[in-house]
Amino acid sequence: MGLFEAMEQYDTEKERKILTVVKGVHVGEKALFSESRLLWENKDHGFFHKHQEIAEKIIESGIINVEEEMIFCDIPGQQIKLVICGGGHVSIPIIQLGQMMGNHVTVIEDRPKFADHARRAGASEVFCEPFQDALKKIKGGRDTFFVIVTRGHRYDQICLFEIAKKEHAYIGMMGSKKRVATVKKQLIEDGADPQVIENIYSPIGLSIGAETPEEIAVAIAAEMIQVKNMKKRTSGYTKEMLHAIREKEGTKILATIVTRKGSAPRAVGTKMLILPDGNCIGTIGGGCMEADVVRKARTLMGQNESNVQLCRVDMTGADAEEEGMVCGGIVDVFLEKI
């Protein structure tokens, strides 16, 4: 069983850590942990079997050093599940932005006409039924973001009472300060968890002076991104990437940014899959930097003696400037055959 089969087999709702030795005697060894329990390793009784305690010490993605080994810890997030309560004029651009960001977008709307609008806007699924009934069907989870943009505070109250019971990454609710305060007060009186209620994001969205539905949607999307990135998890593997890993024939190279210094364009944990024909799924920053990594990856594809490589791209010097690497910064990229 390989890593990706192991990831599918074990509970995806629990936090998982993928540890890889990127430099040292045990370079290339990899293990999957869930809640500090070793679930899978690519070498039986290898380095991670002997050092299982490592996983307990890791709280965010990045590099750690153990003995003479450099280890990259990846805490991948799952695809964001965006649940929008309300299908009115504000929800339409939120749906569209959510889809652009690769989220699974669910809309709950009890009016058939507005539910149809949500479908046409591209929602992944639409529940056209009372809010309370639909929310009982939604599990929630650590990567579930709830956005409440209903047509009235009575419906806000119904949604928020149900959502407050669920695990979530984010709850945002649109409304004036007075309206929101009224809803919060009533919910706490009705027995909702006060801590959850007080921690909702409302007024919803970053404060950018948004007025139009499109501007409000941008502010909400920006706030969701901010919350997501505070959790110190990486973006993980996209559906397209996982499909290509399983279905595309030939040797493929997975490129992962494992360190980042300066103003490099993408974060630690960002991944790109290089296919045998040189095409790529995902991006680690584009431009000359990415082209250099692709060249090294294709060289690695043709080597029989090595399956992994740690390469550095320096975008700070005169040579880099001449090549057009305008971002600056230094990244270490780990290449591994898949």
Side-chain angles (χ1 to χ4, degrees):
M1 179 172 59
L3 171 64
F4 302 104
E5 290 79 12
M7 289 174 66
E8 284 187 341
Q9 179 174 327
Y10 296 104
D11 190 350
T12 58
E13 293 302 322
K14 294 180 180 178
E15 185 171 80
R16 295 171 298 176
K17 299 172 183 177
I18 302 169
L19 274 59
T20 307
V21 180
V22 297
K23 188 177 181 181
V25 174
H26 298 89
V27 64
E29 288 198 30
K30 185 182 290 283
L32 173 67
F33 289 82
S34 177
E35 297 184 338
S36 301
R37 182 168 65 93
L38 179 62
L39 302 179
W40 171 91
E41 57 183 336
N42 64 350
K43 183 176 180 180
D44 290 340
H45 300 286
F47 177 82
F48 292 109
H49 181 80
K50 299 171 184 175
H51 296 83
Q52 294 188 39
E53 75 284 352
I54 295 172
E56 299 177 6
K57 303 174 183 177
I58 295 169
I59 59 173
E60 62 183 64
S61 297
I63 288 288
I64 62 170
N65 293 289
V66 178
E67 298 175 355
E68 301 298 317
E69 314 293 328
M70 179 188 289
I71 299 165
F72 175 65
C73 174
D74 189 3
I75 307 178
Q78 303 297 315
Q79 181 187 30
I80 286 179
K81 299 178 182 68
L82 172 57
V83 180
I84 304 170
C85 298
H89 63 291
V90 173
S91 74
I92 300 305
I94 301 173
I95 294 167
Q96 293 166 339
L97 278 175
Q99 289 288 6
M100 285 174 62
M101 294 189 297
N103 303 335
H104 182 278
V105 182
T106 299
V107 178
I108 302 171
E109 172 55 64
D110 59 353
R111 299 168 293 177
K113 177 181 177 180
F114 289 90
D116 286 341
H117 291 169
R119 292 188 185 97
R120 286 195 291 271
S124 309
E125 61 179 338
V126 177
F127 291 95
C128 185
E129 57 188 278
F131 292 105
Q132 187 175 22
D133 295 345
L135 282 166
K136 288 184 185 300
K137 300 174 182 178
I138 293 172
K139 183 178 180 181
R142 64 192 181 95
D143 291 289
T144 303
F145 287 63
F146 291 95
V147 171
I148 304 171
V149 284
T150 75
R151 61 189 182 275
H153 73 267
R154 178 164 65 93
Y155 302 101
D156 292 345
Q157 193 167 312
I158 291 169
C159 291
L160 191 53
F161 189 78
E162 290 299 324
I163 291 168
K165 304 172 188 176
K166 303 176 186 292
E167 185 179 11
H168 59 272
Y170 170 94
I171 302 173
M173 186 170 72
M174 191 169 68
S176 66
K177 290 182 179 179
K178 182 178 179 181
R179 171 178 160 181
V180 171
T182 300
V183 170
K184 285 183 174 181
K185 182 174 182 292
Q186 186 60 54
L187 284 170
I188 292 171
E189 289 176 359
D190 290 343
D193 185 334
Q195 185 173 355
V196 173
I197 299 303
E198 290 303 326
N199 286 335
I200 70 169
Y201 289 81
S202 191
I204 195 171
L206 296 186
S207 180
I208 59 173
E211 295 183 357
T212 67
E214 293 77 14
E215 290 174 348
I216 293 168
V218 169
I220 293 170
E223 187 169 68
M224 288 172 52
I225 291 168
Q226 184 181 66
V227 170
K228 173 182 74 71
N229 290 342
M230 286 169 59
K231 294 184 180 299
K232 304 297 183 183
R233 298 202 297 267
T234 66
S235 54
Y237 302 86
T238 66
K239 285 186 175 180
E240 184 184 8
M241 192 176 290
L242 289 172
H243 177 77
I245 288 170
R246 296 190 193 97
E247 304 298 331
K248 296 283 186 181
E249 295 184 354
T251 301
K252 301 167 283 286
I253 301 291
L254 181 66
T256 305
I257 296 177
V258 296
T259 72
R260 173 180 181 267
K261 298 177 183 177
S263 57
R266 297 301 302 272
V268 164
T270 302
K271 299 171 181 64
M272 177 175 72
L273 186 68
I274 300 102
L275 303 177
D277 61 4
N279 287 321
C280 300
I281 297 174
T283 177
I284 55 171
C288 298
M289 179 272 278
E290 187 166 290
D292 183 38
V293 170
V294 171
R295 282 194 296 270
K296 291 174 179 175
R298 300 203 71 186
T299 299
L300 180 62
M301 282 182 192
Q303 296 177 355
N304 295 323
E305 65 276 9
S306 179
N307 293 318
V308 298
Q309 180 183 346
L310 183 64
C311 60
R312 171 161 291 192
V313 182
D314 188 337
M315 297 170 281
T316 61
D319 290 342
E321 186 175 341
E322 198 170 299
E323 288 291 324
M325 297 183 184
V326 295
C327 291
I330 300 171
V331 295
D332 288 321
V333 180
F334 188 66
L335 307 177
E336 53 187 321
K337 290 181 181 178
I338 298 294

